[in-house]
Amino acid sequence: MTSASPTTAAAAPAGPSTGPSQGRTLLLDGITQRYGASVAVNDVTLDIRGGELVALLGPSGCGKTTLLRIIAGFLAQTKGHVIVGGETMDGLPPNRRSVGIVFQNYALFPHMTVAENVAYGLDARGVDRATQRREAQRMLDLVKLGHLGDRTPRQMSGGQQQRVALARALAVNPSILLLDEPFAALDKNLRLDMQIEVKRIQRLSGITTILVTHDQEEALSMADRVAVLSQGRLEQFSPPTDVYDAPESLFVNSFVGSANRLGGVLEAADRSGGRVRLDVGGVIETRAPRGDVGPGDRVTVCLRPEHLRVDPGAAAGDGAGEALNGVVEMGLPLGATIVHEIRVGDGSAVKVAESRFERASVLAPGTPVRLAPLAPRLASVFAAA
Amino acid sequence: MAATTLRSVTTYDLKLAAPLALGFLVFFVTPLVILLALSFQADPQGSRYGLTQYVHFLADRFSLGVLGSTLWLGVKVTALTLLLGYPVAWLHQRAPGWGKGVIMLLVLLPLLTSVVVRTFAWVVILGRQGIINAALGGLGLIDAPLKLLYTDSGVVMALAQVQMPLMVLPLITALSRIDPNLADASSVLGAGHWRTFRKVTLPLSLPGIIAGCLLTYAAAITAFITQSLIGGGQMLFMPMYIYQQASTLQNWPFAAAISIIFLAAVLVVVSVFTVLGRLSRGYTNA
Ligand SMILES: Nc1ncnc2c1ncn2[C@@H]1O[C@H](COP(=O)(O)OP(=O)(O)OP(=O)(O)O)[C@@H](O)[C@H]1O
Ligand SMILES: [Mg+2]
């Protein structure tokens, strides 16, 4: 619960006029959720700064919604604590948590007008009618729907409904804003508009926000930090660029962006990097190996398609390791990039994405080529899966 | 929905509905027309025609009293059924899988036994030596047995139980149509259980309430068996009144006129409910 009573919290000028420093911290401390014998969330700890936008990213069924429901108070966690601004939320019902939530299906009240929807939380806090109306109008103006307050939700488009849901959640000036796959139901163009819009409002209000998504682009583009979940476990919690450039697990490497996986044996490793002899031939310089592996161990190397270069018949090696030989299987011009699928030594396929600036046209299938990393130490190494 | 025609709702040959239409014509429309014709006979012999029977009914305090008490009985039964049925439907909505099954079975069970059997069970419960009186007497709470059977409240109670499925089933349907996220959204916005119920669940279940009330009302005022067995000789409601006029007194024209008046009264109530239902559906359309 916030230190201010709900009434004063709502009566005070709500979110957007206050500075970004106003956001409250959110600590998820060792959260575990069991459903019978199955574990939906497994010992997840997230320390979220005030005003930060954190994306919960993971495949379907990894426990994202469960975690959100625990923060909102719809579900009591089996273990662990939810702490907002230093105060524990455990055991508090949803209506006393000062949390705002936008559901995937928006969950607007169909029997109320848009303005009534937005004013609902203020009404529940006993705010007087005039203030309710003024605040609802202000929130609707914020989401650029000020002129549509008298409509009912079903007279609105999907994007408009979502903005109403956002206005409704923000109207009560919550400490934490939760967004459960808020853009999943929107078509592509609208989705981008709304992502920018939400990011703008979040910046403006400085509210600590958790965005649930299984769309990696959305997570990487919108979030200050990304928490990647897999089967209820936290795999990585870092800024988007780190999640992409320095994945901490094989799962993160494959789930975020795409990766070519190649088996090999670690030849040497220290803090700054490693060297792996690949099963398909060639040696590659890599980032420092993750996990408990030492020289001589079997490892999996992950190479991003855009970190590779295709050289038709070029000479071997250039300091980043010995080049890999292969044959072009297929070439796909994808607008700004060209993707080649190269069949290497043992028959496994390696994808290479090059910018059109580097390569003007597709190589014919059957062309013998050599693959080389664009730079040393781009590839990640993990203990063999 | 003004543009909806019979043609537009089905692609099947409408001739397939002919047997049903014929049955409807022979067994429903025809008797109704005969009834209507009969009601305009001025005397049982049918020598003269006119509005005599209607004038007779509408000028007679006793007859109007019977009509009034029947319609009022329906109101009381419907109110009690709604009051008792809503929590059952709400529980059904909240219950885990097996609980839903048990509640549904309990709701449907009465439909599997005859109305006569259920009504006699109420005679046993309400009678002078019945279960209620025996229990209260045994506890020393009453000296003389309470009069429950052959009273208005007895009839209302028995009818409420007998008609309960008609109320609970539409309510369950309506409640299950409400998006569970709406209640969550309400609570996270700061509303407690009671406010969420008042502002979200109750208004959104209005279509079910209206459908349930309509069915219960129509069933309660026409429930000949329960009304007569629990109400006994002293209490007269329209179905029994019609039966007496027709069978005992052989006054067929008057019986027909009462029937038509009763039918008209019921139709008025039904149309009011239907209009309310349509409004509420437009209002809650999710
Ligand atoms: N009420 C429940 N009872 C039993 N298991 C449940 C329940 N709710 C969720 N689960 C399980 O918990 C796991 C996590 O579910 P959750 O809904 O949090 O996934 P999610 O990450 O939100 O997935 P999605 O992207 O598909 O929405 C799933 O394996 C799911 O089957
Ligand atoms: Mg989910």
Side-chain angles (χ1 to χ4, degrees):
Chain A
M1 200 56 226
T2 56
S3 51
S5 79
T7 316
T8 52
S17 54
T18 54
S21 58
Q22 297 292 308
R24 294 167 77 88
T25 59
L26 170 62
L27 172 63
L28 302 181
D29 184 13
I31 302 281
T32 296
Q33 178 65 40
R34 284 201 190 84
Y35 289 117
S38 72
V39 184
V41 175
N42 194 346
D43 193 21
V44 169
T45 297
L46 289 175
D47 192 352
I48 297 167
R49 293 187 283 264
E52 198 174 15
L53 196 164
V54 168
L56 289 184
L57 176 65
S60 185
C62 71
K64 305 181 294 289
T65 300
T66 304
L67 209 48
L68 217 59
R69 295 182 66 80
I70 288 170
I71 300 170
F74 301 140
L75 202 61
Q77 65 271 26
T78 317
K79 260 217 275 271
H81 307 283
V82 177
I83 296 162
V84 175
E87 294 169 56
T88 175
M89 295 286 124
D90 303 337
L92 280 183
N95 53 330
R96 305 211 12 231
R97 288 202 176 196
S98 180
V99 163
I101 184 164
V102 175
F103 292 89
Q104 184 172 343
N105 66 354
Y106 315 138
L108 296 176
F109 304 122
H111 57 302
M112 299 179 193
T113 66
V114 164
E116 285 167 347
N117 264 280
V118 177
Y120 188 90
L122 299 170
D123 193 33
R125 282 162 169 74
V127 173
D128 66 271
R129 293 269 149 173
T131 314
Q132 277 181 35
R133 207 166 309 130
R134 201 176 59 239
E135 280 299 300
Q137 188 58 45
R138 206 170 65 78
M139 294 318 297
L140 284 173
D141 287 340
L142 181 76
V143 296
K144 298 174 181 154
L145 289 174
H147 54 299
L148 296 180
D150 293 331
R151 290 211 189 162
T152 62
R154 80 198 137 104
Q155 295 168 326
M156 309 282 265
S157 73
Q160 290 171 331
Q161 289 186 23
Q162 184 185 43
R163 280 185 276 167
V164 175
L166 190 63
R168 182 179 70 175
L170 290 173
V172 295
N173 193 19
S175 304
I176 308 286
L177 179 63
L178 305 174
L179 308 168
D180 191 0
E181 311 229 6
F183 311 109
L186 305 180
D187 63 46
K188 208 171 174 184
N189 292 330
L190 189 57
R191 191 181 310 170
L192 191 61
D193 288 348
M194 281 309 297
Q195 285 170 349
I196 294 168
E197 185 74 11
V198 167
K199 183 81 187 167
R200 176 182 74 87
I201 292 170
Q202 194 268 337
R203 276 274 158 77
L204 208 61
S205 62
I207 184 171
T208 311
T209 303
I210 295 193
L211 166 73
V212 161
T213 180
H214 57 242
D215 178 348
Q216 42 159 311
E217 276 179 31
E218 184 172 297
L220 297 182
S221 64
M222 292 190 68
D224 298 317
R225 279 195 290 170
V226 178
V228 186
L229 294 170
S230 167
Q231 297 180 349
R233 282 193 167 280
L234 182 64
E235 295 273 332
Q236 185 164 0
F237 184 38
S238 0
T241 45
D242 284 4
V243 170
Y244 194 83
D245 297 336
E248 287 171 10
S249 72
L250 191 56
F251 172 83
V252 175
N253 203 143
S254 325
F255 186 73
V256 181
S258 47
N260 296 300
R261 294 190 191 189
L262 295 169
V265 176
L266 191 64
E267 288 195 330
D270 58 28
R271 291 259 189 90
S272 57
R275 196 170 68 241
V276 177
R277 177 159 297 279
L278 297 172
D279 297 345
V280 294
V283 173
I284 189 166
E285 296 278 340
T286 65
R287 300 195 308 120
R290 303 289 315 193
D292 186 21
V293 284
D297 287 348
R298 285 208 54 80
V299 290
T300 301
V301 174
C302 287
L303 278 161
R304 296 226 182 265
E306 67 276 17
H307 287 164
L308 286 166
R309 191 179 68 228
V310 184
D311 292 331
D318 55 1
E322 292 169 31
L324 246 166
N325 296 310
V327 174
V328 175
E329 179 94 1
M330 199 187 332
L332 303 167
L334 299 178
T337 57
I338 286 186
V339 173
H340 282 102
E341 195 167 84
I342 313 291
R343 196 141 304 272
V344 291
D346 62 350
S348 47
V350 173
K351 286 197 181 64
V352 181
E354 292 166 296
S355 101
R356 292 288 297 280
F357 181 73
E358 300 285 341
R359 178 174 303 286
S361 62
V362 175
L363 293 169
T367 313
V369 291
R370 286 161 182 274
L371 295 176
L374 290 179
R377 298 186 177 171
L378 286 174
S380 303
V381 183
F382 306 98
Chain B
M1 296 306 265
T4 308
T5 63
L6 206 51
R7 196 64 273 170
S8 70
V9 295
T10 174
T11 55
Y12 291 107
D13 192 336
L14 288 179
K15 281 202 233 36
L16 289 173
L20 181 66
L22 188 71
F24 194 66
L25 199 69
V26 171
F27 298 108
F28 184 71
V29 178
T30 313
L32 206 60
V33 170
I34 294 173
L35 195 70
L36 195 64
L38 203 58
S39 74
F40 288 114
Q41 288 186 9
D43 53 57
Q45 290 71 41
S47 48
R48 286 177 298 109
Y49 281 82
L51 292 171
T52 327
Q53 306 295 353
Y54 290 93
V55 173
H56 178 189
F57 184 93
L58 296 172
D60 178 20
R61 274 177 166 275
F62 177 77
S63 300
L64 285 177
V66 174
L67 177 63
S69 64
T70 308
L71 296 179
W72 180 232
L73 174 75
V75 172
K76 284 185 288 187
V77 172
T78 306
L80 183 65
T81 316
L82 178 60
L83 220 60
L84 298 176
Y86 203 102
V88 175
W90 190 83
L91 267 183
H92 177 270
Q93 193 53 32
R94 288 291 178 116
W98 61 269
K100 278 190 164 60
V102 170
I103 294 172
M104 193 50 110
L105 184 71
L106 289 177
V107 168
L108 291 180
L109 211 54
L111 290 181
L112 304 178
T113 50
S114 140
V115 178
V116 180
V117 174
R118 278 184 281 162
T119 303
F120 270 118
W122 275 100
V123 172
V124 173
I125 293 170
L126 298 174
R128 284 184 72 82
Q129 264 76 53
I131 295 171
I132 294 182
N133 275 319
L136 291 177
L139 289 170
L141 292 173
I142 49 170
D143 301 328
L146 295 176
K147 185 171 162 54
L148 297 167
L149 200 58
Y150 311 131
T151 64
D152 198 50
S153 13
V155 176
V156 172
M157 259 193 287
L159 275 175
Q161 190 270 330
V162 168
Q163 318 297 2
M164 192 58 79
L166 298 179
M167 178 65 84
V168 175
L169 293 177
L171 283 178
I172 285 178
T173 310
L175 284 173
S176 67
R177 283 211 184 121
I178 301 176
D179 175 4
N181 280 348
L182 293 179
D184 282 348
S186 167
S187 73
V188 94
L189 285 166
H193 291 301
W194 176 236
R195 173 180 279 269
T196 299
F197 176 74
R198 230 166 10 101
K199 297 275 185 174
V200 178
T201 313
L202 191 62
L204 289 177
S205 62
L206 220 51
I209 294 177
I210 288 164
C213 285
L214 175 58
L215 291 174
T216 312
Y217 189 85
I221 57 173
T222 53
F224 180 77
I225 296 170
T226 311
Q227 284 172 1
S228 332
L229 287 181
I230 309 285
Q234 292 97 322
M235 308 187 64
L236 189 58
F237 298 106
M238 287 299 272
M240 188 54 161
Y241 192 34
I242 295 167
Y243 175 78
Q244 283 176 352
Q245 292 298 326
S247 277
T248 319
L249 304 175
Q250 293 291 315
N251 191 352
W252 286 87
F254 188 57
I258 309 177
S259 303
I260 296 292
I261 289 170
F262 190 40
L263 187 66
V266 173
L267 282 180
V268 168
V269 173
V270 167
S271 358
V272 168
F273 273 117
T274 312
V275 170
L276 283 178
R278 199 168 298 144
L279 284 179
S280 77
R281 258 199 308 282
Y283 163 74
T284 59
N285 204 332

